[in-house]
């Protein structure tokens, strides 16, 4: 048997932060030799909320450069831009026509984002889980790396695949593979620096809430110095009454590479005045090589474009095969 196929993507909106890196991308890098990997820049998803068209393309290339700077290897991983493969949008439309509206209306993230946007909420925001399903099912992925907050979307993907298989396929020859979640518990959910009960997010209006992969040493020092803590001396894991303590210890654990037991022993008697400088230096040194490699990729744009071109060719061939298979089952004529 060949390697299992893994697929995931990130929107090119804002700079990647530690939550993206520690909760997703570093795990992709560590496991990339074990799987057949397809990781993309989800630029079609980026316009479900208001965006700046002058920044979209540059942010797309910047995110691709960060993928590579974080350690994704084009020899093990296919990296591509979502909008460069039109099959994503076409399959999403076909799925729209078999997906019940009430499946989308119950999606938690739509409800939360729609409240923020009010009358400006778009059909795209309601419908983006269907596009997400198309992203995954186009590549017949076995596994999709997801956080706990994305499990509902993967369940919808499986429901759409099962519905299509039932209506247009056969039990012995299903059209689409139902993917499974790939979840890493430790570090899978990095929280905000200003509120340890909320996930670190690119959409948070406060820059203080997150450390991005491109923050300067001074920015990192300032953010950690000002991050929310509690008045208790002695730092320990797994205390539900101390979410900020749990989050900051987890960041130190993951960026230092130490074991949980070692971090617990090291920090058991520390106050925040001792711990914050320690965390700061670990952050700065951990991000330095990523920032250096990012600059190299962005400087050598032709090399970056070559990686994306190869990715488009590899991913596009698989996507075209799947789309043709689905269109045949739905009864479409072949292009003349």
């Amino acid at each position: 048997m060949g390697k299992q196929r893994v697929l995931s993507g990130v929107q090119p909106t804002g700079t990647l932060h530690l939550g993206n890196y520690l909760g997703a991308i570093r795990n992709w890098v560590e496991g990339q030799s074990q799987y057949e990997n397809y990781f993309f820049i989800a630029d079609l998803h980026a316009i479900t909320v208001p965006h700046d068209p002058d920044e979209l393309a540059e942010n797309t290339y910047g995110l691709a450069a960060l993928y590579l700077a974080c350690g994704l290897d084009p020899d093990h991983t296919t990296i591509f831009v979502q909008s460069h493969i039109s099959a994503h949008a076409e399959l999403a439309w076909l799925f729209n026509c078999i997906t019940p509206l009430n499946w989308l209306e119950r999606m938690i993230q739509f409800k939360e984002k729609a409240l923020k946007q009010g009358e400006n909420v778009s059909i795209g925001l309601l419908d983006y889980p269907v596009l997400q399903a198309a992203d995954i099912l186009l590549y017949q992925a076995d596994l999709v790396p997801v956080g706990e907050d994305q499990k509902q979307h993967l369940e919808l993907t499986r429901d759409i695949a099962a519905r299509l298989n039932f209506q247009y396929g056969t039990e012995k020859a299903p059209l689409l593979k139902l993917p499974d979640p790939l979840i890493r518990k430790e570090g899978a959910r990095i929280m905000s620096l200003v509120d340890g009960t909320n996930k670190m997010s690119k959409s948070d209006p406060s820059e203080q809430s997150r450390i991005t992969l491109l923050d300067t040493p001074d920015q990192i020092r300032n953010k950690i110095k000002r991050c929310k803590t509690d008045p208790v001396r002695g730092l320990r894991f797994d205390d539900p009454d101390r979410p900020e303590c749990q989050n900051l210890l987890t960041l130190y654990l993951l960026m230092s590479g130490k074991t949980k037991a070692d971090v617990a022993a090291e920090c058991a008697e520390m106050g925040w005045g001792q711990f914050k400088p320690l965390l700061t230096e670990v952050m700065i040194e951990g991000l330095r090589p990523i920032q250096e490699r990012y600059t190299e990729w962005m400087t050598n744009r032709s090399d970056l474009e070559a990686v994306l071109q190869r990715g488009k060719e590899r991913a596009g061939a698989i996507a075209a095969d799947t789309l043709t298979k689905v269109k045949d089952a739905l009864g479409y004529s072949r292009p003349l």
Side-chain angles (χ1 to χ4, degrees):
M1 292 180 63
K3 295 179 179 180
Q4 288 184 299
R5 184 173 293 167
V6 174
L7 179 129
S8 193
V10 175
Q11 293 186 38
T13 51
T15 304
L16 292 180
H17 54 67
L18 283 174
N20 302 131
Y21 176 58
L22 297 174
I25 295 174
R26 194 166 79 165
N27 299 336
W28 300 353
V29 172
E30 291 173 352
Q32 64 182 321
S33 63
Q34 302 172 30
Y35 302 105
E36 180 187 354
N37 308 287
Y38 289 80
F39 296 134
F40 64 95
I41 294 90
D43 55 341
L44 292 177
H45 288 285
I47 67 169
T48 59
V49 296
H51 77 290
D52 185 344
D54 292 333
E55 296 180 356
L56 182 58
E58 190 64 17
N59 288 346
T60 296
Y61 284 107
L63 179 52
L66 273 175
Y67 276 180
L68 294 161
C70 287
L72 289 178
D73 184 346
D75 291 334
H76 290 293
T77 299
T78 299
I79 301 171
F80 62 98
V81 178
Q82 180 189 32
S83 68
H84 292 181
I85 299 175
S86 61
H88 287 258
E90 188 171 354
L91 187 61
W93 171 252
L94 301 179
F95 285 171
N96 278 338
C97 297
I98 67 163
T99 303
L101 178 61
N102 67 322
W103 286 10
L104 301 181
E105 290 175 332
R106 71 187 184 208
M107 302 301 287
I108 295 171
Q109 287 200 355
F110 168 73
K111 294 177 182 178
E112 293 175 347
K113 292 182 178 181
L115 283 174
K116 295 178 182 178
Q117 292 191 32
E119 294 182 357
N120 291 323
V121 63
S122 69
I123 294 297
L125 185 63
L126 173 68
D127 197 43
Y128 88 91
V130 177
L131 176 58
Q132 193 172 64
D135 298 334
I136 296 166
L137 297 172
L138 266 178
Y139 301 96
Q140 304 281 14
D142 298 291
L143 299 168
V144 180
V146 294
E148 290 293 333
D149 60 326
Q150 286 287 323
K151 288 181 69 176
Q152 188 185 34
H153 286 170
L154 187 58
E155 290 166 3
L156 177 70
T157 297
R158 290 172 56 88
D159 288 342
I160 291 172
R163 188 178 180 89
L164 187 81
N165 289 341
F166 176 76
Q167 292 184 345
Y168 299 100
T170 66
E171 186 174 346
K172 291 184 178 179
L175 295 168
L176 300 171
K177 182 179 294 186
L178 273 63
D180 292 313
L182 180 62
I183 299 174
R184 176 179 173 176
K185 292 183 180 179
E186 188 171 65
R189 192 170 172 84
I190 302 300
M191 312 307 284
S192 166
L193 296 182
V194 298
D195 182 354
T197 63
N198 285 326
K199 188 177 178 182
M200 188 176 287
S201 171
K202 289 189 290 184
S203 62
D204 192 311
S206 173
E207 292 288 337
Q208 179 64 30
S209 68
R210 57 191 172 271
I211 292 175
T212 79
L213 300 191
L214 299 180
D215 275 348
T216 66
D218 284 345
Q219 288 174 319
I220 294 171
R221 291 189 187 95
N222 181 56
K223 289 179 179 180
I224 293 180
K225 183 178 180 179
R226 297 172 57 195
C227 70
K228 184 179 179 182
T229 55
D230 56 43
V232 182
R233 183 175 181 81
L235 311 181
R236 53 188 56 85
F237 289 100
D238 305 320
D239 185 339
D241 295 325
R242 303 181 67 190
E244 286 77 25
C245 182
Q246 173 70 20
N247 188 44
L248 295 177
L249 282 176
T250 299
L251 286 173
Y252 181 62
L253 166 70
L254 294 172
M255 292 300 288
S256 68
K258 298 179 180 180
T259 67
K260 187 174 181 179
D262 286 344
V263 171
E266 179 183 6
C267 303
E269 302 302 324
M270 280 189 183
W272 293 110
Q274 294 172 276
F275 177 75
K276 283 187 174 182
L278 194 65
L279 177 61
T280 297
E281 292 311 309
V282 165
M283 290 291 181
I284 292 171
E285 292 307 311
L287 294 179
R288 190 188 309 279
I290 293 174
Q291 294 174 356
E292 291 173 350
R293 290 192 295 268
Y294 170 82
T295 299
E296 291 175 5
W297 279 108
M298 290 299 283
T299 301
N300 299 294
R301 184 64 69 94
S302 61
D303 292 342
L304 180 60
E305 290 174 349
V307 170
L308 293 177
Q309 177 63 31
R310 290 197 300 272
K312 175 188 174 182
E313 292 170 357
R314 293 174 190 166
I318 296 172
D321 286 345
T322 302
L323 181 61
T324 298
K325 187 177 181 181
V326 171
K327 291 179 74 174
D328 284 348
L330 291 174
Y332 283 92
S333 62
R334 291 286 184 97
L336 300 176

